């Protein structure tokens, strides 16, 4: 079963501390070695976002995210785990925390 682990964080102008980046690399390397890593990517800051909505049948282009939030989606992991318990095990390894979604 594939699980998408969504990584949220508070967005700042400062880059992630080196130990956080190293922690993500370690999780990706370990998951790849186990053969369950399907994909993982950090996302760009919300300041680079574009939102597209349809209005009267035409796209309405807006700069920025759809809604302001306290935390932003910072990245994701897609893992092929045997069950939810294994997905939770891996989510606990992610240094910035995550919220999982089955699918």
């Amino acid at each position: 079963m594939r699980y998408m682990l969504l990584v949220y964080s508070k967005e700042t102008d400062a880059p992630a501390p080196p130990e956080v980046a190293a922690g993500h690399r370690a999780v990706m390397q370990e998951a790849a070695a186990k053969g369950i890593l399907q994909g993982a990517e950090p996302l760009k800051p919300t300041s680079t976002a574009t939102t597209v909505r349809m209005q009267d049948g035409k796209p309405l282009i807006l700069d920025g995210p759809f809604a302001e939030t306290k935390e932003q989606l910072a990245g994701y992991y897609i893992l092929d785990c045997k069950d939810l318990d294994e997905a939770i095990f891996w989510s606990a390894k992610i240094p910035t925390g995550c919220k999982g979604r089955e699918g």
Side-chain angles (χ1 to χ4, degrees), residues 24-86:
H24 282 290
R25 278 192 302 276
V27 171
M28 287 186 284
Q29 289 171 347
E30 185 179 356
K34 299 273 186 192
I36 65 167
L37 182 66
Q38 302 276 301
E41 293 288 335
L43 300 179
K44 299 264 186 195
T46 58
S47 61
T48 67
T50 300
T51 299
V52 180
R53 292 186 184 177
M54 295 303 289
Q55 185 173 10
D56 298 324
K58 296 181 182 178
L60 176 64
I61 312 299
L62 305 168
D63 289 337
F66 175 73
E68 290 189 30
T69 62
K70 293 181 181 181
E71 291 183 326
Q72 289 73 38
L73 180 59
Y76 66 88
Y77 291 75
I78 299 176
L79 303 178
D80 189 8
C81 299
K82 65 182 176 190
D83 56 27
L84 179 59
D85 289 335
E86 185 180 16

